[in-house]
Amino acid sequence: MPKTMNAVSEKLPHLKTPLPGPEARRIVELDARYISPSYTRSYPLVARRAQGAIVEDVDGNRFLDFSAGIAVVAAGHCHPEIVEAIQRQAAELIHMSGTDFYYENMIELASKLEAITPGAGPKRTFFTNSGTEAIECALKLARWSTGRTHFIAFYNCFHGRTFGSLSLTSSKAVQRERMGPFLPGVVHAPYAYPYRCPMGAPPERCAEACLSQLENVILKTVVSPKDVAAIVVEPIQGEGGYVVPPKEFLQGLERLCRQHGILLVADEVQSGMGRTGRWWASEHFGITPDIVCTAKGIASGMPLGAVVARAEVMSWPPGAHASTFGGNPVCIAAALATMRLLENGLLENARKLGDYILGRLADWPQRHRLVGEVRGRGLMVGLELVRDKQSKERAAEERNAVVDAAFQRGLLILGCGPNTLRLMPPLVIDQEQADCALALLEESLTEVEKQ
Ligand SMILES: Cc1ncc(COP(=O)(O)O)c(C=O)c1O
């Protein structure tokens, strides 16, 4: 390990310069000249290297990372076992294309995914490079498998930015503005969001009201269930605001699927691979999707996605779908190492530290003027900020100010939805790091509340 890495391996943040420092400032200016302005940078963090939950910037400042590269580095940054697996595989076989040739680690990962995804019986896996490609695959597979044309997606959902997935995505208008027309056949339905029910129902009736709108209005007037290939749902909404639906909502969707021969597609791109303290968020709700899409955390930072479906669903013929890079051997090696680490403690750590963080945040809505609701599972935790507890007016600017104030203190967090803060650290954090993050977050929140 290079000597300079010692600085990074310290567990807690440490700032040496005002932020952004001189090097960061220089690079941010260059970036503005060369890089697409469509990226959504919240603050000027210019990373040089990282280890575990610590990121060091180009000026030598150390940050505690509660964003994990947008919920990606499950085993932490540059975990030695992931690095070793990548290096070993890269020295042996970097690429061959699983589309046209065979290699064994692809099969090994698929068999492991079969074992951990909900539902018994044989399954098959298609590998991609990203979350959005996993969704594209699921959409094509659902159409191919059912011979039907339509999809049900939900308000606030995020499934990606390529045309198929973007046609489902409805979390922010800017993501769709001037991009249409979209894939025909996508119908949006209300997602059970008890704190802010789109049907105007009280929290305890929200699931029932949203399901009724889908079953009794949408499937009776907008689209026949006989034309619906799949219901595509995030078991916990990510980018839309870390919204945790009631169990009955997801179970109701599963019931509708079974009743009408519709496939249930779970988008576990953000919520899967141990982030919620279980392999899949679907497990918290007791549902068994027909197709599971995953990406992000699966390979701790290497680009990989996977679509796991029951074998009788994924029975399309050669040529129906393929990918040059999807399931690259180096990414697969990183995924196998990630799974070993998850099995050997990280899954349990995500559950334990998630419970700890949620427990410590439980009284923040009483103690903090801006905190409307705290919600989440495992290390997928959201704090929704409001200006007024009664009217629930969204505190969007305040949310952005808290994200910025946290950065100024050495804590990396991101927002989601218009007014929610999300905590999604690497699954390797310990209690000292959780305490540090909560202390910095609370200071940041208090500072914004005083303004
Ligand atoms: C739930 C969900 N689905 C799909 C995607 C798209 O993944 P990617 O950015 O890898 O294409 C994301 C990304 O944030 C996501 O959160």
Side-chain angles (χ1 to χ4, degrees):
M1 191 180 282
K3 252 208 261 156
T4 44
M5 289 301 279
N6 292 339
V8 180
S9 59
E10 302 277 343
K11 277 184 9 185
L12 299 176
H14 177 71
L15 300 180
K16 287 173 147 177
T17 70
L19 299 177
E23 268 302 281
R25 204 179 288 277
R26 182 184 68 77
I27 293 168
V28 167
E29 277 164 24
L30 264 185
D31 184 284
R33 162 69 181 77
Y34 289 106
I35 304 297
S36 166
S38 64
Y39 294 158
T40 52
R41 276 72 169 266
S42 305
Y43 41 79
L45 184 269
V46 183
R48 173 180 280 154
R49 62 181 133 238
Q51 187 99 64
I54 290 291
V55 176
E56 187 184 298
D57 82 353
V58 284
D59 296 292
N61 296 302
R62 221 167 46 222
F63 297 84
L64 181 55
D65 185 5
F66 264 52
S67 73
I70 328 187
V72 169
V73 287
H77 293 279
C78 301
H79 190 290
E81 289 181 36
I82 306 284
V83 173
E84 208 262 327
I86 292 170
Q87 288 174 336
R88 196 165 9 93
Q89 184 60 48
E92 203 163 279
L93 180 74
I94 291 181
H95 175 78
M96 196 61 210
S97 193
T99 284
D100 285 80
F101 305 98
Y102 301 92
Y103 39 88
E104 195 168 1
N105 72 358
M106 193 187 227
I107 304 160
E108 191 185 342
L109 182 58
S111 81
K112 279 184 163 282
L113 287 170
E114 172 182 280
I116 61 165
T117 41
K123 294 169 198 150
R124 289 199 175 122
T125 296
F126 183 96
F127 288 106
T128 70
N129 306 287
S130 64
T132 196
E133 285 173 75
I135 300 298
E136 298 296 328
C137 170
L139 298 179
K140 288 175 72 176
L141 180 61
R143 276 196 175 162
W144 186 90
S145 163
T146 60
R148 301 178 182 183
T149 49
H150 281 59
F151 299 101
I152 304 288
F154 295 90
Y155 299 151
N156 277 331
C157 72
F158 187 90
H159 297 290
R161 295 173 178 275
T162 49
F163 269 112
S165 66
L166 181 61
S167 305
L168 306 178
T169 288
S170 72
S171 67
K172 292 192 180 88
V174 67
Q175 294 157 350
R176 297 166 65 93
E177 193 180 300
R178 298 166 74 148
M179 302 292 180
F182 300 105
L183 192 70
V186 177
V187 179
H188 286 95
Y191 188 91
Y193 181 175
Y195 182 67
R196 214 178 261 292
C197 185
M199 298 305 296
E204 64 284 3
R205 303 272 317 277
C206 186
E208 185 191 327
C210 292
L211 281 171
S212 170
Q213 178 73 5
L214 175 57
E215 184 167 14
N216 300 318
V217 180
I218 294 173
L219 293 179
K220 293 224 159 83
T221 60
V222 183
V223 57
S224 159
K226 292 187 188 129
D227 285 333
V228 178
I231 294 180
V232 185
V233 67
E234 294 163 273
I236 297 176
Q237 282 189 334
E239 153 71 21
Y242 273 31
V243 179
V244 183
K247 216 178 207 170
E248 307 82 62
F249 177 66
L250 292 171
Q251 291 182 349
L253 295 182
E254 184 175 28
R255 173 182 58 77
L256 281 176
C257 284
R258 303 293 166 249
Q259 194 178 330
H260 297 290
I262 297 170
L263 295 172
L264 182 62
V265 177
D267 179 346
E268 296 256 17
V269 167
Q270 187 154 172
S271 58
M273 294 310 295
R275 171 137 305 274
T276 66
R278 296 204 179 178
W279 284 112
W280 311 103
S282 295
E283 294 172 56
H284 292 281
F285 306 95
I287 56 166
T288 306
D290 300 289
I291 301 176
V292 173
C293 299
T294 178
K296 285 196 184 282
I298 187 171
S300 285
M302 294 298 281
L304 183 71
V307 180
V308 187
R310 285 189 288 110
E312 68 266 29
V313 172
M314 196 176 278
S315 59
W316 43 11
H321 197 47
S323 164
T324 299
F325 288 115
N328 167 281
V330 182
C331 301
I332 300 244
L336 288 167
T338 302
M339 284 184 78
R340 274 194 299 277
L341 289 164
L342 283 163
E343 283 160 356
N344 295 332
L346 291 189
L347 202 53
E348 174 61 16
N349 194 54
R351 192 191 55 71
K352 211 177 78 198
L353 268 293
D355 286 350
Y356 176 73
I357 289 174
L358 281 163
R360 283 210 41 200
L361 289 172
D363 64 353
W364 284 29
Q366 284 79 55
R367 290 205 289 114
H368 282 280
R369 181 171 67 74
L370 280 173
V371 179
E373 188 179 56
V374 172
R375 53 189 179 238
R377 294 283 184 280
L379 291 175
M380 186 171 186
V381 175
L383 291 86
E384 179 160 347
L385 303 192
V386 291
R387 289 190 177 151
D388 179 278
K389 301 268 166 82
Q390 224 51 47
S391 69
K392 299 183 183 172
E393 185 191 347
R394 295 178 191 272
E397 285 160 27
E398 293 86 341
R399 188 278 309 274
N400 295 344
V402 174
V403 169
D404 203 52
F407 170 66
Q408 293 296 336
R409 288 171 168 77
L411 174 67
L412 305 181
I413 53 173
L414 289 174
C416 58
N419 57 319
T420 298
L421 295 165
R422 58 175 147 172
L423 307 182
M424 45 176 171
L427 312 186
V428 290
I429 56 156
D430 63 17
Q431 190 169 321
E432 191 184 357
Q433 290 174 316
D435 286 336
C436 174
L438 293 178
L440 295 177
L441 180 61
E442 187 151 32
E443 266 179 46
S444 310
L445 193 57
T446 306
E447 177 185 289
V448 174
E449 282 172 338
K450 281 192 187 137
Q451 280 161 13

PDB file of all heavy atoms in Angstrom, residues 216-239:
ATOM      1  N   ASN A 216     -59.067  -0.382  -9.488  1.00  0.00           N
ATOM      2  CA  ASN A 216     -60.444  -0.029  -9.847  1.00  0.00           C
ATOM      3  C   ASN A 216     -60.565   1.120 -10.825  1.00  0.00           C
ATOM      4  O   ASN A 216     -61.638   1.345 -11.381  1.00  0.00           O
ATOM      5  CB  ASN A 216     -61.247   0.280  -8.576  1.00  0.00           C
ATOM      6  CG  ASN A 216     -61.267  -0.931  -7.660  1.00  0.00           C
ATOM      7  OD1 ASN A 216     -61.440  -2.059  -8.129  1.00  0.00           O
ATOM      8  ND2 ASN A 216     -61.031  -0.715  -6.375  1.00  0.00           N
ATOM      9  N   VAL A 217     -59.502   1.867 -11.005  1.00  0.00           N
ATOM     10  CA  VAL A 217     -59.576   2.964 -11.978  1.00  0.00           C
ATOM     11  C   VAL A 217     -58.640   2.664 -13.166  1.00  0.00           C
ATOM     12  O   VAL A 217     -59.099   2.438 -14.280  1.00  0.00           O
ATOM     13  CB  VAL A 217     -59.242   4.335 -11.317  1.00  0.00           C
ATOM     14  CG1 VAL A 217     -59.320   5.448 -12.356  1.00  0.00           C
ATOM     15  CG2 VAL A 217     -60.188   4.604 -10.151  1.00  0.00           C
ATOM     16  N   ILE A 218     -57.345   2.588 -12.890  1.00  0.00           N
ATOM     17  CA  ILE A 218     -56.393   2.470 -14.012  1.00  0.00           C
ATOM     18  C   ILE A 218     -56.624   1.177 -14.810  1.00  0.00           C
ATOM     19  O   ILE A 218     -56.747   1.210 -16.037  1.00  0.00           O
ATOM     20  CB  ILE A 218     -54.942   2.553 -13.483  1.00  0.00           C
ATOM     21  CG1 ILE A 218     -54.700   3.962 -12.923  1.00  0.00           C
ATOM     22  CG2 ILE A 218     -53.928   2.215 -14.573  1.00  0.00           C
ATOM     23  CD1 ILE A 218     -53.381   4.167 -12.210  1.00  0.00           C
ATOM     24  N   LEU A 219     -56.714   0.055 -14.108  1.00  0.00           N
ATOM     25  CA  LEU A 219     -56.862  -1.225 -14.835  1.00  0.00           C
ATOM     26  C   LEU A 219     -58.297  -1.441 -15.351  1.00  0.00           C
ATOM     27  O   LEU A 219     -58.572  -2.412 -16.055  1.00  0.00           O
ATOM     28  CB  LEU A 219     -56.422  -2.396 -13.946  1.00  0.00           C
ATOM     29  CG  LEU A 219     -54.924  -2.441 -13.601  1.00  0.00           C
ATOM     30  CD1 LEU A 219     -54.592  -3.617 -12.697  1.00  0.00           C
ATOM     31  CD2 LEU A 219     -54.049  -2.492 -14.860  1.00  0.00           C
ATOM     32  N   LYS A 220     -59.196  -0.531 -14.992  1.00  0.00           N
ATOM     33  CA  LYS A 220     -60.564  -0.647 -15.535  1.00  0.00           C
ATOM     34  C   LYS A 220     -60.836   0.381 -16.614  1.00  0.00           C
ATOM     35  O   LYS A 220     -61.744   0.210 -17.428  1.00  0.00           O
ATOM     36  CB  LYS A 220     -61.579  -0.486 -14.393  1.00  0.00           C
ATOM     37  CG  LYS A 220     -61.539  -1.639 -13.386  1.00  0.00           C
ATOM     38  CD  LYS A 220     -62.934  -2.113 -12.993  1.00  0.00           C
ATOM     39  CE  LYS A 220     -62.903  -3.522 -12.441  1.00  0.00           C
ATOM     40  NZ  LYS A 220     -62.538  -3.593 -11.025  1.00  0.00           N
ATOM     41  N   THR A 221     -60.053   1.483 -16.616  1.00  0.00           N
ATOM     42  CA  THR A 221     -60.391   2.539 -17.577  1.00  0.00           C
ATOM     43  C   THR A 221     -59.234   2.905 -18.517  1.00  0.00           C
ATOM     44  O   THR A 221     -59.455   3.276 -19.655  1.00  0.00           O
ATOM     45  CB  THR A 221     -60.811   3.844 -16.840  1.00  0.00           C
ATOM     46  OG1 THR A 221     -59.725   4.273 -16.022  1.00  0.00           O
ATOM     47  CG2 THR A 221     -62.039   3.632 -15.981  1.00  0.00           C
ATOM     48  N   VAL A 222     -57.989   2.817 -18.047  1.00  0.00           N
ATOM     49  CA  VAL A 222     -56.866   3.290 -18.861  1.00  0.00           C
ATOM     50  C   VAL A 222     -56.258   2.156 -19.675  1.00  0.00           C
ATOM     51  O   VAL A 222     -55.963   2.295 -20.849  1.00  0.00           O
ATOM     52  CB  VAL A 222     -55.785   3.948 -17.964  1.00  0.00           C
ATOM     53  CG1 VAL A 222     -54.640   4.502 -18.818  1.00  0.00           C
ATOM     54  CG2 VAL A 222     -56.386   5.066 -17.115  1.00  0.00           C
ATOM     55  N   VAL A 223     -56.028   1.032 -19.017  1.00  0.00           N
ATOM     56  CA  VAL A 223     -55.398  -0.099 -19.702  1.00  0.00           C
ATOM     57  C   VAL A 223     -55.982  -1.401 -19.139  1.00  0.00           C
ATOM     58  O   VAL A 223     -56.201  -1.520 -17.927  1.00  0.00           O
ATOM     59  CB  VAL A 223     -53.855  -0.054 -19.537  1.00  0.00           C
ATOM     60  CG1 VAL A 223     -53.409  -0.050 -18.079  1.00  0.00           C
ATOM     61  CG2 VAL A 223     -53.188  -1.227 -20.269  1.00  0.00           C
ATOM     62  N   SER A 224     -56.240  -2.333 -20.043  1.00  0.00           N
ATOM     63  CA  SER A 224     -56.744  -3.625 -19.572  1.00  0.00           C
ATOM     64  C   SER A 224     -55.593  -4.414 -18.965  1.00  0.00           C
ATOM     65  O   SER A 224     -54.495  -4.436 -19.539  1.00  0.00           O
ATOM     66  CB  SER A 224     -57.328  -4.407 -20.745  1.00  0.00           C
ATOM     67  OG  SER A 224     -57.370  -5.784 -20.416  1.00  0.00           O
ATOM     68  N   PRO A 225     -55.829  -5.095 -17.837  1.00  0.00           N
ATOM     69  CA  PRO A 225     -54.744  -5.909 -17.267  1.00  0.00           C
ATOM     70  C   PRO A 225     -54.226  -6.953 -18.256  1.00  0.00           C
ATOM     71  O   PRO A 225     -53.079  -7.370 -18.180  1.00  0.00           O
ATOM     72  CB  PRO A 225     -55.392  -6.559 -16.039  1.00  0.00           C
ATOM     73  CG  PRO A 225     -56.856  -6.299 -16.137  1.00  0.00           C
ATOM     74  CD  PRO A 225     -57.055  -5.123 -17.050  1.00  0.00           C
ATOM     75  N   LYS A 226     -55.068  -7.311 -19.223  1.00  0.00           N
ATOM     76  CA  LYS A 226     -54.631  -8.305 -20.214  1.00  0.00           C
ATOM     77  C   LYS A 226     -53.531  -7.772 -21.128  1.00  0.00           C
ATOM     78  O   LYS A 226     -52.858  -8.537 -21.809  1.00  0.00           O
ATOM     79  CB  LYS A 226     -55.822  -8.723 -21.091  1.00  0.00           C
ATOM     80  CG  LYS A 226     -56.856  -9.513 -20.344  1.00  0.00           C
ATOM     81  CD  LYS A 226     -57.895 -10.026 -21.309  1.00  0.00           C
ATOM     82  CE  LYS A 226     -59.035 -10.658 -20.550  1.00  0.00           C
ATOM     83  NZ  LYS A 226     -60.345 -10.159 -20.944  1.00  0.00           N
ATOM     84  N   ASP A 227     -53.400  -6.434 -21.170  1.00  0.00           N
ATOM     85  CA  ASP A 227     -52.344  -5.843 -21.995  1.00  0.00           C
ATOM     86  C   ASP A 227     -51.094  -5.511 -21.195  1.00  0.00           C
ATOM     87  O   ASP A 227     -50.109  -5.026 -21.751  1.00  0.00           O
ATOM     88  CB  ASP A 227     -52.852  -4.538 -22.652  1.00  0.00           C
ATOM     89  CG  ASP A 227     -53.801  -4.832 -23.805  1.00  0.00           C
ATOM     90  OD1 ASP A 227     -53.671  -5.912 -24.411  1.00  0.00           O
ATOM     91  OD2 ASP A 227     -54.683  -3.996 -24.066  1.00  0.00           O
ATOM     92  N   VAL A 228     -51.153  -5.716 -19.886  1.00  0.00           N
ATOM     93  CA  VAL A 228     -50.018  -5.302 -19.053  1.00  0.00           C
ATOM     94  C   VAL A 228     -49.000  -6.440 -18.954  1.00  0.00           C
ATOM     95  O   VAL A 228     -49.301  -7.516 -18.437  1.00  0.00           O
ATOM     96  CB  VAL A 228     -50.481  -4.860 -17.649  1.00  0.00           C
ATOM     97  CG1 VAL A 228     -49.273  -4.472 -16.789  1.00  0.00           C
ATOM     98  CG2 VAL A 228     -51.463  -3.688 -17.755  1.00  0.00           C
ATOM     99  N   ALA A 229     -47.777  -6.155 -19.439  1.00  0.00           N
ATOM    100  CA  ALA A 229     -46.711  -7.152 -19.359  1.00  0.00           C
ATOM    101  C   ALA A 229     -46.135  -7.205 -17.955  1.00  0.00           C
ATOM    102  O   ALA A 229     -45.869  -8.280 -17.422  1.00  0.00           O
ATOM    103  CB  ALA A 229     -45.604  -6.806 -20.362  1.00  0.00           C
ATOM    104  N   ALA A 230     -45.927  -6.029 -17.360  1.00  0.00           N
ATOM    105  CA  ALA A 230     -45.259  -6.021 -16.050  1.00  0.00           C
ATOM    106  C   ALA A 230     -45.634  -4.796 -15.228  1.00  0.00           C
ATOM    107  O   ALA A 230     -45.923  -3.722 -15.770  1.00  0.00           O
ATOM    108  CB  ALA A 230     -43.740  -6.042 -16.225  1.00  0.00           C
ATOM    109  N   ILE A 231     -45.626  -5.002 -13.934  1.00  0.00           N
ATOM    110  CA  ILE A 231     -45.616  -3.889 -12.987  1.00  0.00           C
ATOM    111  C   ILE A 231     -44.168  -3.761 -12.539  1.00  0.00           C
ATOM    112  O   ILE A 231     -43.572  -4.726 -12.054  1.00  0.00           O
ATOM    113  CB  ILE A 231     -46.539  -4.168 -11.782  1.00  0.00           C
ATOM    114  CG1 ILE A 231     -47.998  -4.231 -12.245  1.00  0.00           C
ATOM    115  CG2 ILE A 231     -46.352  -3.114 -10.702  1.00  0.00           C
ATOM    116  CD1 ILE A 231     -49.012  -4.516 -11.131  1.00  0.00           C
ATOM    117  N   VAL A 232     -43.592  -2.575 -12.752  1.00  0.00           N
ATOM    118  CA  VAL A 232     -42.180  -2.359 -12.396  1.00  0.00           C
ATOM    119  C   VAL A 232     -42.145  -1.460 -11.170  1.00  0.00           C
ATOM    120  O   VAL A 232     -42.651  -0.332 -11.207  1.00  0.00           O
ATOM    121  CB  VAL A 232     -41.415  -1.690 -13.561  1.00  0.00           C
ATOM    122  CG1 VAL A 232     -39.930  -1.584 -13.220  1.00  0.00           C
ATOM    123  CG2 VAL A 232     -41.613  -2.466 -14.857  1.00  0.00           C
ATOM    124  N   VAL A 233     -41.548  -1.955 -10.101  1.00  0.00           N
ATOM    125  CA  VAL A 233     -41.624  -1.197  -8.848  1.00  0.00           C
ATOM    126  C   VAL A 233     -40.311  -1.260  -8.070  1.00  0.00           C
ATOM    127  O   VAL A 233     -39.648  -2.298  -8.033  1.00  0.00           O
ATOM    128  CB  VAL A 233     -42.820  -1.707  -7.988  1.00  0.00           C
ATOM    129  CG1 VAL A 233     -42.600  -3.137  -7.493  1.00  0.00           C
ATOM    130  CG2 VAL A 233     -43.104  -0.770  -6.819  1.00  0.00           C
ATOM    131  N   GLU A 234     -39.941  -0.133  -7.472  1.00  0.00           N
ATOM    132  CA  GLU A 234     -38.847  -0.132  -6.491  1.00  0.00           C
ATOM    133  C   GLU A 234     -39.477  -0.508  -5.143  1.00  0.00           C
ATOM    134  O   GLU A 234     -40.359   0.209  -4.662  1.00  0.00           O
ATOM    135  CB  GLU A 234     -38.244   1.268  -6.355  1.00  0.00           C
ATOM    136  CG  GLU A 234     -37.534   1.812  -7.566  1.00  0.00           C
ATOM    137  CD  GLU A 234     -37.364   3.329  -7.457  1.00  0.00           C
ATOM    138  OE1 GLU A 234     -38.294   4.067  -7.864  1.00  0.00           O
ATOM    139  OE2 GLU A 234     -36.327   3.777  -6.974  1.00  0.00           O
ATOM    140  N   PRO A 235     -39.019  -1.569  -4.516  1.00  0.00           N
ATOM    141  CA  PRO A 235     -39.613  -1.940  -3.221  1.00  0.00           C
ATOM    142  C   PRO A 235     -39.448  -0.836  -2.179  1.00  0.00           C
ATOM    143  O   PRO A 235     -40.287  -0.673  -1.305  1.00  0.00           O
ATOM    144  CB  PRO A 235     -38.840  -3.186  -2.807  1.00  0.00           C
ATOM    145  CG  PRO A 235     -38.165  -3.674  -4.032  1.00  0.00           C
ATOM    146  CD  PRO A 235     -38.006  -2.520  -4.966  1.00  0.00           C
ATOM    147  N   ILE A 236     -38.359  -0.074  -2.268  1.00  0.00           N
ATOM    148  CA  ILE A 236     -38.226   1.189  -1.532  1.00  0.00           C
ATOM    149  C   ILE A 236     -37.777   2.200  -2.576  1.00  0.00           C
ATOM    150  O   ILE A 236     -36.790   1.956  -3.284  1.00  0.00           O
ATOM    151  CB  ILE A 236     -37.170   1.100  -0.407  1.00  0.00           C
ATOM    152  CG1 ILE A 236     -37.594   0.074   0.651  1.00  0.00           C
ATOM    153  CG2 ILE A 236     -36.933   2.467   0.236  1.00  0.00           C
ATOM    154  CD1 ILE A 236     -36.567  -0.165   1.758  1.00  0.00           C
ATOM    155  N   GLN A 237     -38.518   3.306  -2.706  1.00  0.00           N
ATOM    156  CA  GLN A 237     -38.120   4.263  -3.744  1.00  0.00           C
ATOM    157  C   GLN A 237     -36.825   4.958  -3.348  1.00  0.00           C
ATOM    158  O   GLN A 237     -36.654   5.383  -2.202  1.00  0.00           O
ATOM    159  CB  GLN A 237     -39.221   5.292  -3.974  1.00  0.00           C
ATOM    160  CG  GLN A 237     -40.358   4.728  -4.822  1.00  0.00           C
ATOM    161  CD  GLN A 237     -41.358   5.786  -5.236  1.00  0.00           C
ATOM    162  OE1 GLN A 237     -41.512   6.803  -4.563  1.00  0.00           O
ATOM    163  NE2 GLN A 237     -42.056   5.531  -6.333  1.00  0.00           N
ATOM    164  N   GLY A 238     -35.906   5.070  -4.310  1.00  0.00           N
ATOM    165  CA  GLY A 238     -34.600   5.648  -4.034  1.00  0.00           C
ATOM    166  C   GLY A 238     -34.551   7.123  -4.366  1.00  0.00           C
ATOM    167  O   GLY A 238     -34.878   7.979  -3.534  1.00  0.00           O
ATOM    168  N   GLU A 239     -34.177   7.410  -5.592  1.00  0.00           N
ATOM    169  CA  GLU A 239     -34.020   8.791  -6.057  1.00  0.00           C
ATOM    170  C   GLU A 239     -35.290   9.640  -5.812  1.00  0.00           C
ATOM    171  O   GLU A 239     -35.221  10.835  -5.570  1.00  0.00           O
ATOM    172  CB  GLU A 239     -33.634   8.723  -7.546  1.00  0.00           C
ATOM    173  CG  GLU A 239     -33.984   9.855  -8.444  1.00  0.00           C
ATOM    174  CD  GLU A 239     -33.167  11.095  -8.200  1.00  0.00           C
ATOM    175  OE1 GLU A 239     -32.081  11.007  -7.618  1.00  0.00           O
ATOM    176  OE2 GLU A 239     -33.659  12.171  -8.597  1.00  0.00           O
TER     177      GLU A 239
END
